[in-house]
């Protein structure tokens, strides 16, 4: 994890990935084709087995979220991608979309710069008691000596932005009378599934920019979708 926050976003929104079904394949594209790229049948004269749908983007605008764990490319990640090798930066949003994140300069609170990131909800909408205290918990945590450069120096490996987020989540869990999470468990549950989903989405998107279509057997695609949905259902929220 990097010591630098991400750069303010000035990217134009990408057109959505479209998925449609025909002749037992799933067709992924950026524009609905006139003919099926698998069998060549004219799609304009035949009713599709399923109407084309736009895939939801794995990215969120953190400043329009609340009580979320956030993951985004770090400032020194010049490719601004989640490729598994580039530095990432993490933060926590309050109920107003202000992002608290730990850097080499201490904790910073940002109203912009996190417009394209991975967002993981940490609180269920019905947890009113926690929602009412979230901002105070986060503010108190950010003012602790562990995040003051005068007391503790930022360390890329052992005392970084992820440490700040994990420590806060464990502080909330303790207040709720629940057991703390290890760094490994926290990463496996809250971060890796979402980052892997982004990596798959970006791979697909780059492929479509070059090759126009990506074809997947419908049975295989359905199985993968079910696995991803199950995985995400078990990962979110404190």
């Amino acid at each position: 994890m990097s010591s630098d926050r991400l750069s303010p976003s000035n990217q134009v929104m990408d057109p959505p990935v479209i998925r449609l079904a025909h002749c037992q394949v799933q067709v992924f594209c950026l524009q609905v084709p006139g003919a099926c790229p698998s069998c060549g049948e004219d799609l304009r004269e035949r009713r599709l087995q399923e109407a084309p749908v736009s895939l939801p983007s794995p990215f969120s605008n953190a400043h329009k979220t609340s009580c979320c764990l956030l993951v985004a490319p770090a400032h020194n990640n010049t490719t601004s991608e989640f490729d598994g090798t580039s530095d990432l930066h993490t933060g926590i949003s309050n109920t107003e979309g202000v992002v608290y994140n730990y850097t080499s300069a201490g904790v910073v609170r940002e109203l912009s710069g996190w417009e394209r990131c991975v967002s993981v909800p940490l609180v269920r909408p019905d947890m009113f008691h926690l929602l009412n205290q979230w901002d105070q918990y986060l503010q108190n945590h950010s003012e602790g000596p562990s995040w003051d450069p005068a007391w503790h120096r930022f360390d890329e490996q052992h005392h970084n932005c992820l440490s700040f987020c994990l420590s806060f989540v464990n502080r909330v869990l303790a207040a709720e009378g629940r057991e703390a999470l290890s760094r490994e468990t926290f990463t496996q549950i809250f971060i890796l599934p979402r980052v892997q989903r982004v990596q798959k989405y970006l791979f697909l998107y780059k492929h479509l920019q070059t090759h126009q279509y990506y074809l997947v057997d419908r049975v295989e695609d359905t199985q993968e979708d079910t696995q991803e949905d199950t995985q995400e259902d078990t990962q979110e929220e404190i």
Side-chain angles (χ1 to χ4, degrees):
M1 294 293 173
S2 171
S3 64
D4 297 320
R5 70 176 181 86
L6 64 163
S7 300
S9 173
N10 56 4
Q11 299 183 24
V12 178
M13 293 296 292
D14 296 324
V17 173
I18 300 170
R19 178 175 64 185
L20 57 92
H22 190 263
C23 67
Q24 300 306 310
V25 298
Q26 295 276 11
V27 180
F28 294 87
C29 51
L30 297 179
Q31 291 184 329
V32 177
C36 176
S38 176
C39 69
E41 183 174 350
D42 191 335
L43 299 179
R44 293 168 296 186
E45 298 179 0
R46 180 181 174 86
R47 183 178 179 180
L48 298 176
Q49 295 165 308
E50 296 177 6
V53 296
S54 296
L55 298 186
S57 170
F59 299 108
S60 301
N61 182 343
H63 306 295
K64 295 182 179 180
T65 69
S66 64
C67 308
C68 288
L69 169 68
L70 309 163
V71 186
H75 180 71
N76 60 355
N77 177 358
T78 56
T79 61
S80 296
E81 292 185 357
F82 298 77
D83 61 4
T85 61
S86 301
D87 284 336
L88 299 176
H89 193 55
T90 60
I92 301 284
S93 62
N94 69 4
T95 59
E96 300 295 329
V98 178
V99 179
Y100 287 61
N101 57 107
Y102 179 53
T103 72
S104 56
V107 177
V108 295
R109 301 159 183 82
E110 296 178 307
L111 293 168
S112 63
W114 295 75
E115 288 80 10
R116 191 172 188 265
C117 67
V118 174
S119 175
V120 183
L122 295 175
V123 183
R124 295 196 311 271
D126 61 348
M127 298 182 70
F128 301 111
H129 69 289
L130 184 52
L131 291 170
N132 290 335
Q133 300 179 78
W134 187 266
D135 288 355
Q136 192 60 55
Y137 280 154
L138 188 53
Q139 181 64 28
N140 292 344
H141 181 68
S142 68
E143 294 174 348
S146 294
W147 321 114
D148 186 340
W151 292 86
H152 288 275
R153 179 178 298 179
F154 186 100
D155 182 274
E156 291 279 356
Q157 300 298 323
H158 305 292
H159 193 68
N160 53 28
C161 57
L162 184 62
S163 306
F164 173 80
C165 295
L166 172 58
S167 179
F168 173 70
V169 168
N170 281 335
R171 180 172 183 160
V172 174
L173 289 173
E176 295 290 300
R178 299 173 60 183
E179 186 176 348
L181 299 174
S182 67
R183 191 183 188 93
E184 180 180 3
T185 299
F186 180 71
T187 302
Q188 291 286 339
I189 293 176
F190 289 96
I191 297 179
L192 284 183
R194 287 301 184 101
V195 171
Q196 289 169 351
R197 180 185 171 212
V198 169
Q199 290 171 345
K200 291 177 65 176
Y201 183 89
L202 291 176
F203 168 82
L204 174 61
Y205 199 92
K206 288 183 176 180
H207 178 90
L208 296 178
Q209 287 179 314
T210 304
H211 299 91
Q212 290 189 287
Y213 310 114
Y214 186 79
L215 307 183
V216 179
D217 180 81
R218 294 191 67 191
V219 174
E220 175 185 343
D221 183 68
T222 301
Q223 291 175 342
E224 289 185 359
D225 284 348
T226 301
Q227 291 172 355
E228 285 191 2
D229 290 342
T230 302
Q231 186 179 46
E232 289 200 7
D233 286 343
T234 61
Q235 75 174 20
E236 297 180 358
E237 301 160 354
I238 294 176

